[in-house]
């Protein structure tokens, strides 16, 4: 089996069916691309089927126009027993100018599961560079913050 792959980039053109009434790409289309990239990244790291457990911190910084060259970059920044915390960044540009700018970023947590949908252990990722250690520490702090958000959201859970 090949070594786990920590990151992946999806590249494609924004098509007319992705665009809303204002002529820009739907936020929902961008979220779908993010989910696809997160899945490909998590499957590549774990070698297993994975499901989305959480998506958050999404920021739509700039719109994406139809015909833009879109790049969705995904990389593992933390691994638990079965979960992979994945940082995602979407960049877009006119393919004629290649003047890339960031349009969206967020964090997605994917969980490796067996054929019955039960979580399965995954290979561990250890940060080595300073940049990786910083992002790994951020992932740990975000887990703490999510616990508080989860407590606040309890009133919406049946
Ligand atoms: C292909 C797709 O994308 S499907 C799209 C939508 N996604 C889904 O349908 C997934 C629905 N959810 C599920 O199936 C389950 O909740 C699962 C598989 C994600 C988790 O199952 P659980 O029985 O809760 O397992 P458990 O409590 O042991 O958690 C497993 C891991 O998921 C993590 N996890 C579970 N829920 C969350 C959450 N809401 N946020 C962050 N992490 C979570 C846990 O921290 C744990 O991580 P670790 O193993 O690295 O310590």
């Amino acid at each position: 089996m090949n070594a786990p792959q920590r990151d992946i980039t999806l590249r494609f053109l924004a098509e007319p069916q992705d665009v809303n009434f204002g002529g820009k790409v739907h936020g929902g289309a961008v979220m779908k691309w993010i989910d696809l990239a997160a899945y490909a990244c998590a499957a590549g790291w774990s070698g297993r089927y994975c499901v989305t457990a959480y998506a958050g911190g999404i920021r739509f910084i700039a719109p994406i126009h139809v015909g833009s060259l879109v790049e969705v970059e995904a990389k593992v920044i933390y691994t638990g027993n079965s979960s992979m915390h994945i940082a995602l960044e979407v960049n877009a540009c006119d393919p004629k100018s290649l003047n890339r700018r960031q349009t969206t970023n967020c964090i997605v947590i994917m969980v490796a599961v067996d054929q019955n949908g039960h979580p399965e252990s995954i290979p561990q990722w250890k940060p080595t560079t300073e940049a990786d250690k910083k992002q790994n520490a951020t992932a740990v702090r975000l887990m703490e913050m999510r616990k508080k958000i989860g407590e606040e959201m309890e009133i919406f859970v049946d």
Side-chain angles (χ1 to χ4, degrees), residues 18-137:
D18 302 321
V19 173
N20 63 24
F21 298 110
K24 316 271 171 41
V25 170
H26 283 288
V30 177
M31 287 158 74
K32 180 183 171 185
W33 298 336
I34 285 171
D35 198 40
L36 293 174
Y39 172 76
C41 182
W45 177 261
S46 64
R48 301 189 183 285
Y49 179 66
C50 301
V51 294
T52 314
Y54 170 90
I58 191 160
R59 284 181 63 208
F60 293 101
I61 301 160
I64 300 176
H65 301 272
V66 65
S68 294
L69 178 63
V70 180
E71 294 184 347
V72 189
E73 299 174 1
K75 69 177 169 191
V76 173
I77 59 167
Y78 172 92
T79 48
N81 181 44
S82 64
S83 68
M84 289 147 279
H85 297 212
I86 295 171
L88 291 116
E89 189 180 314
V90 182
N91 289 281
C93 65
D94 181 331
K96 299 187 291 299
S97 70
L98 294 177
N99 198 7
R100 255 167 126 250
R101 74 206 156 110
Q102 191 180 126
T103 68
T104 317
N105 59 54
C106 73
I107 299 284
V108 171
I109 299 178
M110 304 293 297
V111 176
V113 293
D114 64 18
Q115 53 194 9
N116 299 313
H118 298 133
E120 280 198 303
S121 295
I122 53 158
Q124 293 301 293
W125 174 74
K126 291 199 176 16
T128 48
T129 68
E130 280 312 307
D132 287 349
K133 285 178 187 167
K134 221 169 157 180
Q135 291 181 350
N136 187 254

